[in-house]
Short mmCIF file of all heavy atoms in Angstrom, two decimals:
data_model
loop_
_atom_site.label_atom_id
_atom_site.label_comp_id
_atom_site.label_asym_id
_atom_site.label_seq_id
_atom_site.Cartn_x
_atom_site.Cartn_y
_atom_site.Cartn_z
N VAL A 1 106.15 113.28 118.39
CA VAL A 1 105.52 114.42 119.06
C VAL A 1 104.30 114.88 118.26
O VAL A 1 103.20 115.06 118.81
CB VAL A 1 106.51 115.58 119.24
CG1 VAL A 1 105.80 116.82 119.76
CG2 VAL A 1 107.63 115.17 120.20
N ILE A 2 104.49 115.08 116.96
CA ILE A 2 103.40 115.56 116.11
C ILE A 2 102.27 114.53 116.07
O ILE A 2 101.09 114.87 116.21
CB ILE A 2 103.92 115.83 114.67
CG1 ILE A 2 105.10 116.80 114.70
CG2 ILE A 2 102.80 116.34 113.78
CD1 ILE A 2 104.88 118.09 115.40
N GLY A 3 102.65 113.27 115.86
CA GLY A 3 101.64 112.22 115.75
C GLY A 3 100.83 112.03 117.02
O GLY A 3 99.61 111.80 116.95
N LYS A 4 101.46 112.11 118.18
CA LYS A 4 100.74 111.90 119.43
C LYS A 4 99.78 113.05 119.74
O LYS A 4 98.72 112.83 120.32
CB LYS A 4 101.74 111.70 120.58
CG LYS A 4 102.40 110.32 120.55
CD LYS A 4 103.37 110.11 121.69
CE LYS A 4 103.97 108.71 121.63
NZ LYS A 4 104.98 108.48 122.68
N ILE A 5 100.16 114.26 119.35
CA ILE A 5 99.23 115.39 119.53
C ILE A 5 97.96 115.13 118.71
O ILE A 5 96.83 115.25 119.20
CB ILE A 5 99.88 116.71 119.11
CG1 ILE A 5 100.98 117.11 120.10
CG2 ILE A 5 98.82 117.83 119.02
CD1 ILE A 5 101.82 118.29 119.66
N ILE A 6 98.14 114.78 117.44
CA ILE A 6 97.00 114.58 116.55
C ILE A 6 96.16 113.39 116.98
O ILE A 6 94.92 113.46 117.05
CB ILE A 6 97.48 114.38 115.10
CG1 ILE A 6 98.19 115.64 114.60
CG2 ILE A 6 96.31 114.03 114.18
CD1 ILE A 6 98.95 115.44 113.31
N SER A 7 96.82 112.28 117.29
CA SER A 7 96.09 111.05 117.58
C SER A 7 95.58 110.98 119.01
O SER A 7 95.00 109.97 119.42
CB SER A 7 96.97 109.83 117.28
OG SER A 7 98.15 109.84 118.05
N SER A 8 95.77 112.05 119.79
CA SER A 8 95.20 112.08 121.14
C SER A 8 93.68 112.20 121.07
O SER A 8 92.99 111.91 122.05
CB SER A 8 95.79 113.24 121.96
OG SER A 8 95.47 114.48 121.38
N ASN A 9 93.15 112.63 119.93
CA ASN A 9 91.71 112.58 119.71
C ASN A 9 91.26 111.12 119.58
O ASN A 9 92.02 110.27 119.11
CB ASN A 9 91.33 113.30 118.40
CG ASN A 9 91.37 114.80 118.54
OD1 ASN A 9 91.71 115.33 119.57
ND2 ASN A 9 91.02 115.49 117.47
N GLU A 10 90.04 110.84 119.93
CA GLU A 10 89.50 109.50 119.71
C GLU A 10 89.27 109.26 118.22
O GLU A 10 88.93 110.18 117.47
CB GLU A 10 88.16 109.34 120.45
CG GLU A 10 88.28 109.24 121.95
CD GLU A 10 86.95 108.94 122.61
OE1 GLU A 10 85.95 108.78 121.88
OE2 GLU A 10 86.92 108.86 123.84
N ASN A 11 89.45 108.01 117.82
CA ASN A 11 89.09 107.57 116.47
C ASN A 11 89.82 108.32 115.35
O ASN A 11 89.25 108.60 114.29
CB ASN A 11 87.58 107.66 116.25
CG ASN A 11 86.82 106.78 117.22
OD1 ASN A 11 87.32 105.74 117.64
ND2 ASN A 11 85.63 107.18 117.59
N ILE A 12 91.09 108.66 115.60
CA ILE A 12 91.94 109.20 114.54
C ILE A 12 92.73 108.04 113.93
O ILE A 12 93.42 107.31 114.62
CB ILE A 12 92.93 110.25 115.09
CG1 ILE A 12 92.17 111.45 115.64
CG2 ILE A 12 93.92 110.68 114.01
CD1 ILE A 12 91.34 112.22 114.61
N LYS A 13 92.57 107.86 112.63
CA LYS A 13 93.29 106.82 111.89
C LYS A 13 94.46 107.50 111.18
O LYS A 13 94.25 108.29 110.26
CB LYS A 13 92.37 106.13 110.89
CG LYS A 13 91.08 105.58 111.50
CD LYS A 13 91.36 104.48 112.52
CE LYS A 13 90.07 103.87 113.05
NZ LYS A 13 90.30 102.87 114.09
N LEU A 14 95.67 107.18 111.61
CA LEU A 14 96.85 107.90 111.16
C LEU A 14 97.63 107.14 110.08
O LEU A 14 98.06 106.01 110.30
CB LEU A 14 97.76 108.17 112.36
CG LEU A 14 98.73 109.35 112.29
CD1 LEU A 14 97.97 110.67 112.21
CD2 LEU A 14 99.64 109.35 113.52
N TYR A 15 97.77 107.76 108.91
CA TYR A 15 98.71 107.28 107.90
C TYR A 15 100.07 107.88 108.27
O TYR A 15 100.26 109.09 108.16
CB TYR A 15 98.34 107.76 106.50
CG TYR A 15 97.10 107.17 105.89
CD1 TYR A 15 95.87 107.78 106.05
CD2 TYR A 15 97.16 106.01 105.12
CE1 TYR A 15 94.72 107.27 105.46
CE2 TYR A 15 96.02 105.48 104.53
CZ TYR A 15 94.81 106.11 104.71
OH TYR A 15 93.68 105.60 104.12
N ASP A 16 101.00 107.05 108.68
CA ASP A 16 102.33 107.51 109.10
C ASP A 16 103.27 107.38 107.90
O ASP A 16 103.72 106.29 107.57
CB ASP A 16 102.79 106.65 110.28
CG ASP A 16 104.21 106.95 110.72
OD1 ASP A 16 104.72 108.03 110.37
OD2 ASP A 16 104.79 106.09 111.41
N ILE A 17 103.54 108.51 107.25
CA ILE A 17 104.34 108.50 106.02
C ILE A 17 105.69 109.15 106.30
O ILE A 17 105.78 110.37 106.51
CB ILE A 17 103.60 109.22 104.88
CG1 ILE A 17 102.22 108.59 104.66
CG2 ILE A 17 104.43 109.16 103.59
CD1 ILE A 17 101.40 109.25 103.57
N GLN A 18 106.73 108.36 106.27
CA GLN A 18 108.08 108.85 106.58
C GLN A 18 108.73 109.41 105.30
O GLN A 18 108.90 108.70 104.32
CB GLN A 18 108.92 107.70 107.13
CG GLN A 18 110.30 108.12 107.61
CD GLN A 18 111.10 106.91 108.08
OE1 GLN A 18 111.33 105.98 107.34
NE2 GLN A 18 111.51 106.93 109.35
N VAL A 19 109.07 110.69 105.35
CA VAL A 19 109.72 111.32 104.19
C VAL A 19 111.11 111.84 104.51
O VAL A 19 111.80 112.36 103.64
CB VAL A 19 108.86 112.47 103.60
CG1 VAL A 19 107.57 111.95 103.02
CG2 VAL A 19 108.61 113.55 104.65
N PHE A 20 111.52 111.71 105.78
CA PHE A 20 112.87 112.12 106.19
C PHE A 20 113.73 110.88 106.33
O PHE A 20 113.28 109.85 106.82
CB PHE A 20 112.83 112.86 107.52
CG PHE A 20 112.20 114.22 107.45
CD1 PHE A 20 110.84 114.38 107.69
CD2 PHE A 20 112.95 115.33 107.13
CE1 PHE A 20 110.24 115.63 107.62
CE2 PHE A 20 112.37 116.58 107.05
CZ PHE A 20 111.01 116.73 107.29
N ASP A 21 115.00 110.98 105.91
CA ASP A 21 115.90 109.85 106.07
C ASP A 21 116.48 109.84 107.48
O ASP A 21 116.09 110.63 108.35
CB ASP A 21 116.99 109.85 104.99
CG ASP A 21 117.94 111.05 105.10
OD1 ASP A 21 117.99 111.72 106.17
OD2 ASP A 21 118.64 111.33 104.11
N GLU A 22 117.45 108.95 107.71
CA GLU A 22 118.01 108.80 109.06
C GLU A 22 118.81 110.02 109.51
O GLU A 22 119.14 110.15 110.69
CB GLU A 22 118.88 107.55 109.12
CG GLU A 22 118.07 106.26 108.94
CD GLU A 22 118.94 105.03 108.90
OE1 GLU A 22 120.17 105.18 108.74
OE2 GLU A 22 118.41 103.92 109.04
N ASN A 23 119.12 110.92 108.59
CA ASN A 23 119.83 112.16 108.93
C ASN A 23 118.90 113.37 108.92
O ASN A 23 119.35 114.51 108.88
CB ASN A 23 120.99 112.38 107.96
CG ASN A 23 122.03 111.28 108.06
OD1 ASN A 23 122.53 110.98 109.14
ND2 ASN A 23 122.36 110.66 106.92
N LEU A 24 117.59 113.08 108.97
CA LEU A 24 116.55 114.11 108.98
C LEU A 24 116.61 115.01 107.75
O LEU A 24 116.39 116.20 107.80
CB LEU A 24 116.63 114.95 110.27
CG LEU A 24 115.30 115.54 110.76
CD1 LEU A 24 114.27 114.45 111.02
CD2 LEU A 24 115.48 116.39 112.00
N ARG A 25 116.90 114.40 106.60
CA ARG A 25 116.92 115.11 105.33
C ARG A 25 115.74 114.65 104.48
O ARG A 25 115.36 113.47 104.51
CB ARG A 25 118.23 114.84 104.58
CG ARG A 25 119.47 115.37 105.28
CD ARG A 25 120.73 114.98 104.54
NE ARG A 25 120.82 113.52 104.41
CZ ARG A 25 121.91 112.89 104.00
NH1 ARG A 25 123.00 113.58 103.67
NH2 ARG A 25 121.94 111.57 103.91
N THR A 26 115.21 115.57 103.71
CA THR A 26 114.17 115.23 102.76
C THR A 26 114.37 116.07 101.51
O THR A 26 115.23 116.95 101.47
CB THR A 26 112.76 115.45 103.36
OG1 THR A 26 111.79 114.86 102.48
CG2 THR A 26 112.46 116.93 103.55
N ALA A 27 113.59 115.78 100.48
CA ALA A 27 113.69 116.50 99.22
C ALA A 27 112.29 116.61 98.62
O ALA A 27 111.38 115.87 99.01
CB ALA A 27 114.62 115.74 98.26
#
């Protein structure tokens, strides 16, 4: 959801950095 909002602009180069695990936890 967040990524598609941002990248709906033309010429957005997205670094997709996953910091949440499979249980949606991060530290």
Side-chain angles (χ1 to χ4, degrees):
V1 172
I2 304 306
K4 285 181 179 177
I5 290 171
I6 297 167
S7 60
S8 63
N9 284 3
E10 288 186 2
N11 299 329
I12 296 297
K13 306 297 184 183
L14 205 64
Y15 290 92
D16 175 19
I17 304 179
Q18 186 183 59
V19 294
F20 291 92
D21 65 17
E22 294 176 345
N23 297 308
L24 209 58
R25 296 176 302 191
T26 191

